[in-house]
Each structure stands twice: as C-alpha cells, then as structure tokens.
Amino acid sequence: MEELNSNKPKINNSAYALAPRSEVPYQEISIDHFDPHNFKHALETKDQNEKINLLISKFELEALQNIKAEFLSGGQKKRLVISLALLSDPKILLLDEPFSALDLDMSIKLINDVRALLKDRSCSAILVTHNIEEAKLFSDRMIDLSKV
C-alpha cells in the first residue's frame, strides 16, 4: 500500500491525489513539472496539453514558468501543488489545509477556483482544515470532528 505521509504531490493514475500542506516539497516543484513528458503514465490521452494549459490558466501560473519554486509566494505555491495534484484527474482530491496562511482575498479566490474546478470534473474532495469558515465555503457537506 502506498504511503500517504509523503510531502510530495501524488501524480499517477490512482483514484486519489494528495495536495500536501507542508512547505517541504515546494523547493522541489516548479512549473516545469507541467511538461507533458513528465506525465507519460498519468496523461495518456491526446488532450494532455489542453489539460495542462487549462490548469496553468485556471490557477494563473503562466507568468511563473521561469521562476524557481523557492521564490514563489505562498499562494502561488499552493496553486501550483493543487494544480499538479489535479493533473491525473483523481476521483478524490485530498487537501491538507490548502488555504491556510493566505490572506483572506487569496484564500477566498483559491477556494472558489478549486471548488469550481472540482465540480466541473465531478471530483470529490476531502478537506482538512482548522478554519470552520473555510470549510463552510468549500464544502457541500462537512464533519466537525470536534463534535464526533
């Protein structure tokens, strides 16, 4: 069984994709990860370039192609990791505090963008957050584990 504790986004043909919250993988990730040759197994369809371009556009990553990940802002890093996790068209996206440490405007924008993209793809998500307002904005249904 594959370990879910890894800090790198999972990009494969599995039913899930993980977008970690840790800052650790961001030093290793760049916009170059969108090169279709890096996704031969995850993206075997003829529309792989279209899918990549859609994600780059949707998450406003076009201007970041020549910038090392270590120089990206927190919001840019989070958008990059979420978009990489979505490349494999998972059935379930696991999100670990993806909107934390962002200013309110960026957080709301990212919540709305991710939510809309997931709905368009009929992809479910499991969101882990300590922010109840984030959970309410993002979710159709939620479980408050402090009340279980």
Side-chain angles (χ1 to χ4, degrees):
M1 182 160 174
E2 189 173 354
E3 185 178 331
L4 290 177
N5 293 339
S6 172
N7 283 328
K8 294 184 180 181
K10 303 295 181 200
I11 301 172
N12 54 40
N13 271 335
S14 68
Y16 73 92
L18 173 64
R21 76 176 160 146
S22 172
E23 291 286 326
V24 174
Y26 300 135
Q27 304 308 319
E28 302 169 13
I29 293 172
S30 74
I31 198 74
D32 293 333
H33 283 76
F34 282 105
D35 183 337
H37 301 293
N38 293 335
F39 299 102
K40 287 179 188 167
H41 303 292
L43 300 171
E44 294 177 356
T45 62
K46 64 180 180 180
D47 63 344
Q48 64 185 4
N49 286 326
E50 185 178 313
K51 185 185 302 185
I52 290 168
N53 289 333
L54 173 71
L55 287 169
I56 288 173
S57 174
K58 183 69 175 173
F59 287 98
E60 301 173 9
L61 298 168
E62 300 93 340
L64 308 179
Q65 292 184 348
N66 297 317
I67 300 174
K68 291 186 178 184
E70 63 191 287
F71 299 112
L72 298 178
S73 71
Q76 292 167 332
K77 290 174 184 176
K78 288 179 187 246
R79 293 191 328 253
L80 178 59
V81 168
I82 292 169
S83 59
L84 286 171
L86 287 169
L87 274 176
S88 64
D89 284 327
K91 292 182 171 103
I92 300 172
L93 180 62
L94 309 173
L95 297 160
D96 187 5
E97 297 194 8
F99 314 116
S100 64
L102 299 175
D103 64 60
L104 183 60
D105 290 339
M106 175 55 71
S107 180
I108 291 171
K109 180 180 179 349
L110 194 54
I111 287 170
N112 290 332
D113 288 348
V114 172
R115 183 175 163 82
L117 197 56
L118 293 175
K119 286 214 178 266
D120 287 346
R121 293 168 170 236
S122 299
C123 178
S124 297
I126 297 174
L127 171 69
V128 175
T129 183
H130 292 94
N131 185 324
I132 195 75
E133 295 307 315
E134 273 180 11
K136 288 178 183 177
L137 281 172
F138 185 78
S139 306
D140 292 328
R141 293 178 285 169
M142 59 186 229
I143 299 171
D144 184 344
L145 294 178
S146 69
K147 299 187 180 184
V148 175

